[in-house]
Amino acid sequence: SRNGNDKTAQFPDIADAIGAWLRKVTAPLVIDGEIVGLDEEMRPAGFQRLQHRIHVTVPGFNSRKQILPPDQQPAAFIAFDLLRDGDDDLRNLPLTERRKRLEALFAKHKPPVSDLVRLTPQSAGDGNALMKLAREENWEGLMVKLARSPYRTAKRSPEWMKVKLTKQDEFVVVGWTDPGG
């Protein structure tokens, strides 16, 4: 996780799929991506779907929320950046170069379980078609990145912007009634 926590036990199906995918790759890789919950049509869904998977195999976890196994609440790893390829540290390269190498990795080594390991869609230049797809499929949002941007480890940068698409807000509702005795 971004906090350095091992998520293998919580997403064993994804760990197995990534292991099977990269079994033939002998050089070290660092891939940046995200685990997302999927809807009934195996499309990325909101974080709420992922919450039902977070503590699937954590011993002693006690929750009032129903914890769903992988076959009842599917999830996938979606790759969006390649930070190391063998001995090459790619973080200072522009996003366009890192993306080419990530796409080449996916082309050379196709994931055997494509529902569980995926390459994120990308739109270079005009992003209207991708934005339309994101809205039609109710994605939470999009990451908009400058094509020339390097990867800034553990830092937020104006070169990357998160565009949220969810139409919701949070409210606190407070009420009072006269005690009825």
Side-chain angles (χ1 to χ4, degrees), residues 35-56:
I35 294 177
V36 299
L38 303 173
D39 68 12
E40 295 78 14
E41 297 175 28
M42 301 301 279
R43 297 182 307 207
F47 181 72
Q48 294 77 10
R49 295 243 179 188
L50 192 59
Q51 287 179 313
H52 291 284
R53 285 285 309 274
I54 289 176
H55 301 290
V56 169

Side-chain angles (χ1 to χ4, degrees), residues 12-156:
D13 53 332
I14 293 173
D16 290 346
I18 291 172
W21 173 46
L22 297 176
R23 194 159 283 125
K24 294 181 182 176
V25 177
T26 58
L29 296 172
V30 177
I31 299 172
D32 192 6
E34 185 170 7
I35 294 177
V36 299
L38 303 173
D39 68 12
E40 295 78 14
E41 297 175 28
M42 301 301 279
R43 297 182 307 207
F47 181 72
Q48 294 77 10
R49 295 243 179 188
L50 192 59
Q51 287 179 313
H52 291 284
R53 285 285 309 274
I54 289 176
H55 301 290
V56 169
T57 61
V58 177
F61 180 76
N62 185 11
S63 174
R64 284 177 269 153
K65 190 182 305 176
Q66 181 184 10
I67 304 302
L68 300 176
D71 62 329
Q72 292 181 31
Q73 180 49 71
F77 174 76
I78 301 182
F80 45 76
D81 211 337
L82 182 60
L83 310 182
R84 175 169 292 281
D85 186 3
D87 293 331
D88 297 335
D89 182 349
L90 309 179
R91 292 175 295 175
N92 287 325
L93 294 177
L95 174 63
T96 51
E97 293 301 313
R98 297 190 316 271
R99 179 67 185 208
K100 281 181 195 172
R101 290 185 66 168
L102 181 62
E103 289 175 0
L105 175 70
F106 268 76
K108 184 176 180 180
H109 303 284
K110 297 192 185 319
V113 185
S114 61
D115 282 345
L116 297 180
V117 180
R118 304 174 183 187
L119 180 62
T120 187
Q122 175 183 287
S123 176
D126 182 359
N128 285 320
L130 187 57
M131 178 69 84
K132 182 176 185 255
L133 175 66
R135 284 194 171 118
E136 287 171 357
E137 293 189 359
N138 295 314
W139 295 1
E140 283 189 23
L142 295 171
M143 287 299 297
V144 179
K145 302 179 180 185
L146 286 178
R148 67 178 184 272
S149 65
Y151 187 92
R152 301 193 190 282
T153 303
K155 293 182 183 170
R156 292 204 180 250

